[in-house]
């Protein structure tokens, strides 16, 4: 039995048999809901027997079951017409994690890299065609983080702002909805953050407070992130530290604003000293105290305005220039 399914109505169990004699090492599962139907995507590990015979061929398989909770489920396995389009162009590489993001794209992590896909179902052929999203100028699909040797236990998690968090034993990488990296392509690890260890097993998000909790081999780490739920209009702009002392304080954090806002630092007379543009899924930004010309602003009380189609806010910041 490849899958065991329990009904929430009567607690009865039903089971799905393996589709063939080379699908014995499932590693990850993702559910794609389309109307009343539900497709079940499975990623497999590649493996050989002690006699070096093929035991599990790796790659992806798709199940469409209309009566999966019956005692004799009418299962329908769907073939993938272009399996060589998987990361690394290897149809048999071990797949460690699959997930659907908020746009319905399928993200696949195998031992060769990560790719995102849209997909088209051909009812006549009962087959699925994968269409990679994100390509080089040459037209070849992008293999995200292909330099990393992904292993069993690595995974992709999606937060409420549709960021893809790549959890590995060598640190964390975040791919935003526009397919750029946050904070950079170097990722997050013990050398550039407060992580207890780069060997990370899982992540959970506090969407309201903008916190990410990481389980590592040395304990739980908590990281402030700019991705959180939009605040209510009654909540003030968060500014810390305030006063902002230059050069003792390297950065001031301005947050609790609507995602995608434009933040303006202005004099009391309304002269704009700096404008900071947040991405569509970012709710805070850090400012180094410099104006548009790259010079530190002088000691004064400045206005901080947040402009967004969802609402506007204004607050004040005191800056002390030593």
């Amino acid at each position: 039995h490849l899958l065991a399914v329990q009904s929430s109505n009567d607690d009865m169990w039903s089971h799905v048999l393996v589709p063939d004699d080379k699908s014995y090492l499932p590693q990850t599962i993702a559910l794609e809901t389309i109307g009343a139907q539900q497709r079940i995507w499975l990623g497999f590990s590649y493996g050989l027997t002690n006699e070096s015979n093929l035991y599990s061929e790796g790659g992806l398989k798709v199940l469409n079951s209309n009566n999966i909770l019956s005692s004799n489920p009418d299962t329908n396995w769907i073939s993938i017409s272009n399996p060589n389009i998987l990361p690394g162009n290897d149809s048999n590489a071990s797949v460690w994690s699959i997930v659907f993001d908020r746009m319905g794209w399928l993200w696949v992590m195998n031992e060769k890299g990560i790719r995102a896909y849209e997909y088209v179902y051909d009812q006549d052929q009962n087959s699925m065609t994968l269409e990679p999203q994100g390509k080089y100028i040459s037209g070849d699909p992008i293999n995200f983080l292909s330099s990393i040797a992904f292993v069993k236990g690595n995974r992709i998690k999606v937060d409420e702002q549709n960021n893809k968090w790549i959890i590995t034993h060598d640190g964390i990488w975040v791919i935003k909805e526009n397919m750029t990296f946050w904070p950079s392509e170097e990722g997050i690890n013990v050398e550039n953050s407060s992580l207890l260890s780069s060997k990370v097993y899982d992540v959970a998000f506090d969407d309201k407070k903008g916190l990410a909790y990481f389980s590592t081999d040395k304990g739980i780490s908590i990281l402030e992130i700019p991705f959180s739920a939009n605040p209510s209009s009654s909540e003030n702009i968060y500014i810390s530290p305030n006063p902002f002392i230059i050069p003792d304080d390297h950065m001031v954090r301005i947050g609790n604003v609507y995602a995608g806002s434009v933040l303006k630092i202005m004099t009391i007379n309304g002269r704009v000293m700096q404008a900071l543009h947040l991405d569509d899924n970012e709710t805070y930004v850090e400012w180094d105290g410099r104006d548009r010309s790259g010079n530190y602003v002088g000691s004064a009380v400045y206005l901080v305005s947040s402009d967004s189609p969802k609402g506007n806010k204004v607050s004040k910041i005191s800056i002390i220039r030593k």
Side-chain angles (χ1 to χ4, degrees):
H1 292 139
L2 179 65
L3 294 174
V5 186
Q6 187 179 33
S7 169
S8 60
N9 297 323
D10 54 16
D11 292 335
M12 293 297 293
W13 286 90
S14 55
H15 301 84
V16 177
L17 297 175
V18 292
D20 49 49
D21 61 355
K22 49 191 175 181
S23 301
Y24 293 117
L25 295 174
Q27 302 296 315
T28 177
I29 186 169
L31 303 181
E32 169 209 356
T33 301
I34 302 176
Q37 293 186 345
Q38 196 171 60
R39 292 175 183 148
I40 303 169
W41 295 67
L42 294 155
F44 291 81
S45 172
Y46 181 86
L48 303 175
T49 66
N50 291 335
E51 294 77 26
S52 297
N53 296 319
L54 181 64
Y55 181 68
S56 182
E57 65 180 352
L60 283 181
K61 287 184 169 61
V62 187
L63 171 68
N64 187 7
S65 176
N66 296 323
N67 300 300
I68 199 168
L69 294 178
S70 67
S71 58
N72 295 301
D74 177 19
T75 57
N76 182 12
W77 289 95
I78 301 170
S79 64
I80 295 178
S81 65
N82 56 340
N84 289 331
I85 206 68
L86 290 172
N89 300 325
D90 187 345
S91 60
N92 298 119
S94 295
V95 175
W96 304 124
S97 183
I98 54 177
V99 67
F100 288 96
D101 71 8
R102 307 297 174 185
M103 296 191 301
W105 290 4
L106 175 70
W107 288 77
V108 178
M109 172 199 287
N110 70 11
E111 55 189 322
K112 301 297 181 66
I114 295 172
R115 284 182 185 172
Y117 302 90
E118 288 189 322
Y119 41 90
V120 177
Y121 176 62
D122 186 329
Q123 187 171 1
D124 293 335
Q125 299 296 323
N126 191 33
S127 66
M128 195 75 70
T129 300
L130 301 176
E131 299 181 353
Q133 303 303 300
K135 297 182 179 180
Y136 297 108
I137 296 177
S138 64
D140 294 331
I142 295 175
N143 257 11
F144 291 98
L145 302 172
S146 58
S147 61
I148 299 174
F150 294 111
V151 297
K152 184 176 181 178
N154 296 169
R155 62 185 67 197
I156 307 173
K157 302 294 282 287
V158 181
D159 66 19
E160 290 296 325
Q161 285 70 43
N162 205 33
N163 302 297
K164 272 60 68 176
W165 293 73
I166 314 304
I167 308 302
T168 80
H169 297 165
D170 297 303
I172 305 147
W173 282 262
V174 183
I175 303 175
K176 299 195 295 185
E177 187 172 85
N178 61 6
M179 291 196 172
T180 62
F181 285 92
W182 176 88
S184 72
E185 198 168 349
E186 294 180 358
I188 304 169
N189 52 59
V190 292
E191 296 179 357
N192 59 19
S193 73
S194 58
L195 269 181
L196 292 173
S197 170
S198 292
K199 192 170 187 177
V200 183
Y201 298 124
D202 207 352
V203 61
F205 307 103
D206 185 328
D207 188 54
K208 183 165 181 60
K209 294 182 180 180
L211 299 174
Y213 295 81
F214 300 100
S215 62
T216 77
D217 64 335
K218 294 184 179 179
I220 304 297
S221 292
I222 305 174
L223 179 69
E224 287 187 300
I225 57 176
F227 316 114
S228 61
N230 284 320
S232 68
S233 58
S234 62
E235 294 177 319
N236 295 324
I237 295 178
Y238 173 86
I239 300 174
S240 180
N242 193 6
F244 178 37
I245 302 174
I246 300 174
D248 293 358
D249 301 320
H250 297 292
M251 291 284 186
V252 58
R253 175 173 172 169
I254 305 172
N256 206 31
V257 298
Y258 293 102
S261 293
V262 177
L263 293 175
K264 295 180 181 178
I265 315 298
M266 302 179 292
T267 65
I268 296 298
N269 295 327
R271 179 187 172 194
V272 178
M273 306 299 290
Q274 183 61 276
L276 308 169
H277 297 258
L278 278 68
D279 286 346
D280 290 338
N281 58 1
E282 293 182 335
T283 57
Y284 84 72
V285 70
E286 292 184 333
W287 177 49
D288 61 3
R290 299 179 186 270
D291 61 18
R292 290 175 167 177
S293 300
N295 301 313
Y296 286 113
V297 300
S299 297
V301 175
Y302 294 87
L303 297 176
V304 180
S305 72
S306 165
D307 300 321
S308 166
K310 299 177 182 178
N312 303 321
K313 295 183 179 185
V314 177
S315 188
K316 294 179 180 180
I317 180 174
S318 298
I319 295 181
I320 299 174
R321 175 89 177 271
K322 287 186 175 181

